[in-house]
Short mmCIF file of all heavy atoms in Angstrom, two decimals:
data_model
loop_
_atom_site.label_atom_id
_atom_site.label_comp_id
_atom_site.label_asym_id
_atom_site.label_seq_id
_atom_site.Cartn_x
_atom_site.Cartn_y
_atom_site.Cartn_z
N ALA G 15 0.83 -1.15 -0.02
CA ALA G 15 0.03 -0.02 -0.02
C ALA G 15 0.89 1.21 -0.04
O ALA G 15 0.52 2.24 -0.65
CB ALA G 15 -0.92 0.03 1.21
N CYS G 16 1.98 1.19 0.71
CA CYS G 16 2.94 2.37 0.75
C CYS G 16 3.42 2.54 -0.67
O CYS G 16 3.53 3.70 -1.17
CB CYS G 16 4.06 2.02 1.70
SG CYS G 16 5.27 3.34 1.84
N ALA G 17 3.85 1.42 -1.40
CA ALA G 17 4.37 1.59 -2.72
C ALA G 17 3.33 2.10 -3.70
O ALA G 17 3.57 2.96 -4.53
CB ALA G 17 4.88 0.23 -3.19
N ALA G 18 2.06 1.68 -3.50
CA ALA G 18 0.93 2.13 -4.34
C ALA G 18 0.74 3.61 -4.16
O ALA G 18 0.50 4.31 -5.13
CB ALA G 18 -0.29 1.32 -4.05
N GLN G 19 0.64 4.07 -2.87
CA GLN G 19 0.46 5.44 -2.68
C GLN G 19 1.52 6.31 -3.24
O GLN G 19 1.25 7.33 -3.86
CB GLN G 19 0.33 5.63 -1.10
CG GLN G 19 0.04 7.14 -0.73
CD GLN G 19 0.12 7.39 0.78
OE1 GLN G 19 1.14 7.08 1.37
NE2 GLN G 19 -0.96 7.94 1.32
N MET G 20 2.74 5.90 -3.07
CA MET G 20 3.93 6.62 -3.57
C MET G 20 3.86 6.70 -5.11
O MET G 20 4.11 7.75 -5.65
CB MET G 20 5.21 5.88 -3.17
CG MET G 20 6.48 6.70 -3.46
SD MET G 20 7.95 5.73 -2.98
CE MET G 20 7.81 5.66 -1.22
N PHE G 21 3.45 5.58 -5.75
CA PHE G 21 3.34 5.49 -7.20
C PHE G 21 2.26 6.51 -7.73
O PHE G 21 2.51 7.30 -8.67
CB PHE G 21 3.04 4.09 -7.66
CG PHE G 21 3.05 3.97 -9.15
CD1 PHE G 21 4.21 3.81 -9.89
CD2 PHE G 21 1.77 3.96 -9.84
CE1 PHE G 21 4.13 3.68 -11.25
CE2 PHE G 21 1.78 3.78 -11.22
CZ PHE G 21 2.97 3.68 -11.95
N VAL G 22 1.09 6.45 -7.13
CA VAL G 22 -0.05 7.30 -7.60
C VAL G 22 0.32 8.78 -7.44
O VAL G 22 0.09 9.58 -8.37
CB VAL G 22 -1.41 6.92 -6.85
CG1 VAL G 22 -2.44 7.95 -7.11
CG2 VAL G 22 -1.79 5.54 -7.14
N PHE G 23 0.90 9.07 -6.30
CA PHE G 23 1.29 10.47 -6.05
C PHE G 23 2.29 10.92 -7.05
O PHE G 23 2.16 12.00 -7.62
CB PHE G 23 1.85 10.61 -4.58
CG PHE G 23 2.33 11.95 -4.30
CD1 PHE G 23 1.45 13.04 -4.01
CD2 PHE G 23 3.68 12.31 -4.38
CE1 PHE G 23 1.85 14.30 -3.77
CE2 PHE G 23 4.11 13.55 -4.09
CZ PHE G 23 3.28 14.51 -3.80
N ALA G 24 3.26 10.11 -7.31
CA ALA G 24 4.38 10.47 -8.23
C ALA G 24 3.88 10.64 -9.60
O ALA G 24 4.28 11.54 -10.36
CB ALA G 24 5.52 9.47 -8.17
N VAL G 25 2.98 9.76 -10.06
CA VAL G 25 2.38 9.88 -11.37
C VAL G 25 1.69 11.21 -11.54
O VAL G 25 1.96 11.99 -12.52
CB VAL G 25 1.34 8.76 -11.62
CG1 VAL G 25 0.51 9.01 -12.91
CG2 VAL G 25 2.03 7.46 -11.82
N PHE G 26 0.76 11.55 -10.74
CA PHE G 26 -0.03 12.79 -10.88
C PHE G 26 0.76 14.06 -10.63
O PHE G 26 0.52 15.05 -11.23
CB PHE G 26 -1.29 12.76 -10.01
CG PHE G 26 -2.36 11.78 -10.45
CD1 PHE G 26 -2.72 10.63 -9.76
CD2 PHE G 26 -3.02 12.11 -11.67
CE1 PHE G 26 -3.70 9.81 -10.22
CE2 PHE G 26 -4.03 11.27 -12.16
CZ PHE G 26 -4.32 10.12 -11.39
N ALA G 27 1.73 13.98 -9.69
CA ALA G 27 2.58 15.17 -9.49
C ALA G 27 3.40 15.41 -10.79
O ALA G 27 3.59 16.60 -11.17
CB ALA G 27 3.49 14.96 -8.31
N THR G 28 3.96 14.41 -11.39
CA THR G 28 4.70 14.47 -12.58
C THR G 28 3.74 14.96 -13.82
O THR G 28 4.23 15.84 -14.61
CB THR G 28 5.37 13.21 -13.04
OG1 THR G 28 6.12 12.69 -11.98
CG2 THR G 28 6.34 13.44 -14.14
N VAL G 29 2.58 14.44 -13.80
CA VAL G 29 1.66 14.88 -14.87
C VAL G 29 1.36 16.43 -14.70
O VAL G 29 1.36 17.10 -15.77
CB VAL G 29 0.34 14.13 -14.72
CG1 VAL G 29 -0.81 14.77 -15.62
CG2 VAL G 29 0.46 12.70 -15.20
N GLU G 30 1.17 16.87 -13.45
CA GLU G 30 0.97 18.28 -13.23
C GLU G 30 2.17 19.09 -13.74
O GLU G 30 1.97 20.22 -14.32
CB GLU G 30 0.69 18.62 -11.77
CG GLU G 30 0.54 20.04 -11.51
CD GLU G 30 -0.53 20.37 -10.49
OE1 GLU G 30 -1.39 19.47 -10.27
OE2 GLU G 30 -0.57 21.52 -9.95
N ASN G 31 3.33 18.64 -13.49
CA ASN G 31 4.65 19.32 -13.90
C ASN G 31 4.62 19.56 -15.40
O ASN G 31 4.83 20.71 -15.85
CB ASN G 31 5.81 18.41 -13.55
CG ASN G 31 7.12 18.92 -14.06
OD1 ASN G 31 7.62 20.01 -13.70
ND2 ASN G 31 7.72 18.15 -15.00
N TYR G 32 4.25 18.55 -16.20
CA TYR G 32 4.28 18.72 -17.64
C TYR G 32 3.07 19.39 -18.14
O TYR G 32 3.13 20.03 -19.20
CB TYR G 32 4.47 17.33 -18.30
CG TYR G 32 5.93 16.87 -18.18
CD1 TYR G 32 6.22 15.84 -17.31
CD2 TYR G 32 6.92 17.47 -18.99
CE1 TYR G 32 7.62 15.46 -17.13
CE2 TYR G 32 8.24 17.00 -18.79
CZ TYR G 32 8.52 16.07 -17.94
OH TYR G 32 9.91 15.68 -17.78
N LEU G 33 1.86 19.29 -17.47
CA LEU G 33 0.72 20.06 -17.88
C LEU G 33 0.95 21.54 -17.73
O LEU G 33 0.58 22.30 -18.62
CB LEU G 33 -0.45 19.62 -17.04
CG LEU G 33 -1.16 18.35 -17.42
CD1 LEU G 33 -2.21 18.00 -16.35
CD2 LEU G 33 -1.82 18.43 -18.81
N LEU G 34 1.73 21.98 -16.71
CA LEU G 34 1.95 23.38 -16.55
C LEU G 34 2.85 23.84 -17.69
O LEU G 34 2.65 24.98 -18.16
CB LEU G 34 2.71 23.67 -15.20
CG LEU G 34 1.79 23.53 -13.89
CD1 LEU G 34 2.67 23.55 -12.71
CD2 LEU G 34 0.74 24.56 -13.89
N ALA G 35 3.74 23.03 -18.13
CA ALA G 35 4.59 23.39 -19.29
C ALA G 35 3.71 23.46 -20.59
O ALA G 35 3.87 24.32 -21.42
CB ALA G 35 5.69 22.34 -19.50
N SER G 36 2.79 22.48 -20.73
CA SER G 36 1.92 22.45 -21.93
C SER G 36 1.01 23.71 -21.95
O SER G 36 0.75 24.26 -23.03
CB SER G 36 1.05 21.17 -21.85
OG SER G 36 1.81 20.03 -21.95
N MET G 37 0.50 24.10 -20.76
CA MET G 37 -0.27 25.29 -20.68
C MET G 37 0.50 26.56 -21.03
O MET G 37 -0.03 27.49 -21.64
CB MET G 37 -0.89 25.41 -19.27
CG MET G 37 -1.86 24.28 -18.96
SD MET G 37 -2.50 24.30 -17.31
CE MET G 37 -3.78 25.53 -17.39
N ALA G 38 1.78 26.58 -20.64
CA ALA G 38 2.63 27.71 -21.02
C ALA G 38 2.82 27.80 -22.50
O ALA G 38 2.75 28.92 -23.15
CB ALA G 38 4.01 27.60 -20.39
N TYR G 39 2.96 26.72 -23.20
CA TYR G 39 3.06 26.64 -24.67
C TYR G 39 1.77 27.08 -25.26
O TYR G 39 1.73 27.82 -26.29
CB TYR G 39 3.41 25.24 -25.15
CG TYR G 39 3.51 25.10 -26.67
CD1 TYR G 39 4.53 25.67 -27.30
CD2 TYR G 39 2.53 24.48 -27.34
CE1 TYR G 39 4.59 25.59 -28.69
CE2 TYR G 39 2.53 24.36 -28.70
CZ TYR G 39 3.64 24.92 -29.43
OH TYR G 39 3.65 24.84 -30.82
N ASP G 40 0.60 26.63 -24.72
CA ASP G 40 -0.70 27.09 -25.16
C ASP G 40 -0.88 28.58 -25.12
O ASP G 40 -1.33 29.27 -26.04
CB ASP G 40 -1.81 26.39 -24.40
CG ASP G 40 -3.18 26.84 -24.82
OD1 ASP G 40 -3.56 26.73 -26.01
OD2 ASP G 40 -3.88 27.32 -23.93
N HIS G 41 -0.41 29.17 -23.95
CA HIS G 41 -0.48 30.66 -23.75
C HIS G 41 0.47 31.35 -24.84
O HIS G 41 0.03 32.36 -25.41
CB HIS G 41 0.00 31.08 -22.38
CG HIS G 41 -0.95 30.62 -21.31
ND1 HIS G 41 -0.62 30.58 -20.01
CD2 HIS G 41 -2.26 30.21 -21.38
CE1 HIS G 41 -1.66 30.18 -19.30
NE2 HIS G 41 -2.64 29.97 -20.13
N TYR G 42 1.60 30.76 -25.11
CA TYR G 42 2.49 31.30 -26.14
C TYR G 42 1.83 31.36 -27.46
O TYR G 42 1.82 32.30 -28.21
CB TYR G 42 3.78 30.49 -26.11
CG TYR G 42 4.51 30.59 -27.48
CD1 TYR G 42 5.33 31.68 -27.83
CD2 TYR G 42 4.43 29.57 -28.48
CE1 TYR G 42 5.88 31.78 -29.00
CE2 TYR G 42 5.05 29.69 -29.69
CZ TYR G 42 5.81 30.78 -29.97
OH TYR G 42 6.45 30.85 -31.22
N ALA G 43 1.22 30.22 -27.82
CA ALA G 43 0.52 30.18 -29.14
C ALA G 43 -0.61 31.17 -29.26
O ALA G 43 -0.84 31.79 -30.22
CB ALA G 43 0.03 28.74 -29.40
N ALA G 44 -1.34 31.33 -28.15
CA ALA G 44 -2.55 32.26 -28.13
C ALA G 44 -2.10 33.69 -28.17
O ALA G 44 -2.74 34.46 -28.89
CB ALA G 44 -3.34 32.00 -26.83
N VAL G 45 -1.02 34.06 -27.49
CA VAL G 45 -0.58 35.50 -27.42
C VAL G 45 0.33 35.85 -28.52
O VAL G 45 0.12 36.92 -29.17
CB VAL G 45 0.12 35.72 -26.01
CG1 VAL G 45 0.69 37.14 -25.99
CG2 VAL G 45 -0.80 35.51 -24.88
N CYS G 46 1.23 34.93 -28.90
CA CYS G 46 2.25 35.32 -29.87
C CYS G 46 1.85 34.94 -31.31
O CYS G 46 2.30 35.61 -32.26
CB CYS G 46 3.57 34.61 -29.55
SG CYS G 46 4.19 35.02 -27.90
N LYS G 47 1.07 33.95 -31.49
CA LYS G 47 0.66 33.51 -32.85
C LYS G 47 -0.91 33.34 -32.89
O LYS G 47 -1.48 32.29 -33.21
CB LYS G 47 1.25 32.11 -33.11
CG LYS G 47 2.76 31.99 -32.96
CD LYS G 47 3.52 32.76 -34.09
CE LYS G 47 5.01 32.64 -33.88
NZ LYS G 47 5.77 33.33 -35.01
#
């Protein structure tokens, strides 16, 4: 259960990391192009 909790948390925290980058690119496309 400890391993499962660690895995789920790490997955979604990493997903958020890259989603924030994707949203920055989306803002770039909307403002600059």
